[in-house]
Amino acid sequence: MSTSDAADVDRASIERTTAELLAAVNASDADRCSAVWAVRGVLMPPHHPAVPGHQAIVQYFRTLFSRRKFSFTFTSSQIHLVGDTALERVTYRAIIWPGDDAPPIEDVGKGLHVYERQPNGSWKLTHDIWNSDQPVPS
Amino acid sequence: MSTSDAADVDRASIERTTAELLAAVNASDADRCSAVWAVRGVLMPPHHPAVPGHQAIVQYFRTLFSRRKFSFTFTSSQIHLVGDTALERVTYRAIIWPGDDAPPIEDVGKGLHVYERQPNGSWKLTHDIWNSDQPVPS
C-alpha cells in the first residue's frame, strides 16, 4: 500500500469515528459516545470543567442526555495526519432541546478533535474541544 | 544530541512561544500577538467565528484590545510532541477588564494549542481554541 493509500485508509477510519460520535450524540446514547474515546481521553466542553477519562466521560454524557437532546451535524472537516496522531478541525451546526418544554435553540460553532491510532488500526478520540460562534446570551 | 535532548529543546522553544503569547495579550500588543502565529494559522475564540490567517488575526486582536484588557496566566500545560507538530493542553485563569468602567471579570477555562515547527527551529501557533469552565451567564 502506498503512503497516500495508507493516508486515505486512515482518513476514512477517522471519518467513521466522527460519524459514530455524531450518531451516538444524536441518539442520546452515552455508552456509544464513550466507545469512540481513548481510555485516557479528555472531553473539554464549553461552560463545564474538563472531563478526564472514559468513566467520567460516560457519566458526563448520561447526565447531559437526561437533561437535553441534540441534533448535531459537522458542516466542515479538515483532517491533518501526523504519524499515529490526527487533528481534525470541524465546524458544526446543532439544534439543542434544552428540556422543560423550552423551545429548541440553534447553535453554530467550531472545534478541534485529536485522535490516536489504536493497535487494531481504528482511531479513537483523545481530545475534543469546541465553542460557539454566537455572542454570549445577554 | 539525543532524541530526549532534542525533545527538551523543542519543549523549551514551545514554552517560549506560549510565554510570548501571554506577554503579548497582557500587554494588549496585537502585532506581538500575531507574531507567534504561523501565516496560515487559525484562531478559534469562543463566541466569535474562527479567525483565519495572520492579517485577520492581527485585526482581531487590535479590535479586541481597543475594547478590553486582559491579564491571563496558564495554570497548567501538557505538551505532546509529534514530529514537526506539537499539541499543548492548557488551563487558564484570566482577569478581563470589559471597558466602559465596568468592574473586572474573572474567568477560568481550558484550551488546546497546536504548534508547527518552523524552518528556523522555532515553533509557531497554527490553532488556538479555548472555552470557559464557568456556566453561561444567566
Side-chain angles (χ1 to χ4, degrees):
Chain A
M1 200 158 56
S2 74
T3 309
S4 146
D5 287 347
D8 287 345
V9 168
D10 285 335
R11 279 171 205 280
S13 175
I14 290 163
E15 284 164 7
R16 280 196 299 276
T17 303
T18 307
E20 175 61 13
L21 174 66
L22 269 189
V25 168
N26 293 343
S28 303
D29 187 331
D31 289 307
R32 201 172 152 195
C33 280
S34 70
V36 304
W37 280 84
V39 172
R40 283 188 289 275
V42 184
L43 178 69
M44 302 165 77
H47 305 296
H48 190 285
V51 183
H54 222 256
Q55 284 310 307
I57 289 170
V58 73
Q59 194 52 56
Y60 170 84
F61 279 120
R62 278 187 193 139
T63 304
L64 184 70
F65 295 149
S66 72
R67 295 176 183 159
R68 304 183 143 200
K69 306 293 171 198
F70 299 86
S71 175
F72 261 88
T73 48
F74 290 128
T75 46
S76 73
S77 157
Q78 289 174 275
I79 295 171
H80 178 56
L81 291 166
V82 200
D84 291 338
T85 300
L87 185 74
E88 183 184 29
R89 177 156 74 95
V90 296
T91 52
Y92 70 79
R93 179 175 299 275
I95 300 169
I96 303 158
W97 286 267
D100 296 330
D101 293 328
I105 299 160
E106 197 171 343
D107 188 25
V108 291
K110 56 207 169 295
L112 283 185
H113 298 161
V114 185
Y115 301 87
E116 202 172 68
R117 192 200 307 269
Q118 304 300 300
N120 69 358
S122 72
W123 290 78
K124 293 207 169 186
L125 274 168
T126 60
H127 301 82
D128 183 359
I129 182 168
W130 68 99
N131 61 41
S132 175
D133 288 354
Q134 297 180 330
V136 178
S138 57
Chain B
M1 198 157 59
S2 74
T3 308
S4 146
D5 287 348
D8 287 345
V9 169
D10 285 334
R11 279 171 205 280
S13 176
I14 290 163
E15 284 163 7
R16 280 196 298 277
T17 303
T18 307
E20 176 60 13
L21 175 66
L22 269 189
V25 168
N26 293 342
S28 303
D29 187 330
D31 289 307
R32 201 172 152 195
C33 281
S34 70
V36 303
W37 280 85
V39 173
R40 282 188 290 275
V42 184
L43 179 68
M44 302 165 77
H47 305 295
H48 190 285
V51 183
H54 222 255
Q55 284 310 307
I57 289 170
V58 73
Q59 195 51 56
Y60 169 85
F61 280 120
R62 278 188 193 139
T63 304
L64 184 71
F65 295 149
S66 73
R67 295 176 183 158
R68 304 184 142 201
K69 305 293 172 198
F70 300 86
S71 175
F72 261 88
T73 48
F74 290 128
T75 45
S76 74
S77 157
Q78 289 174 275
I79 295 171
H80 177 57
L81 291 166
V82 200
D84 291 338
T85 299
L87 185 74
E88 182 184 28
R89 178 156 73 96
V90 295
T91 52
Y92 70 79
R93 179 174 300 276
I95 300 168
I96 303 158
W97 286 267
D100 295 331
D101 293 328
I105 299 160
E106 197 171 344
D107 187 26
V108 291
K110 57 208 169 296
L112 282 186
H113 298 160
V114 185
Y115 301 87
E116 202 172 68
R117 191 200 308 268
Q118 304 300 298
N120 69 356
S122 72
W123 290 77
K124 292 208 168 183
L125 273 168
T126 60
H127 302 81
D128 184 359
I129 182 168
W130 68 99
N131 62 40
S132 176
D133 289 353
Q134 297 180 331
V136 178
S138 56

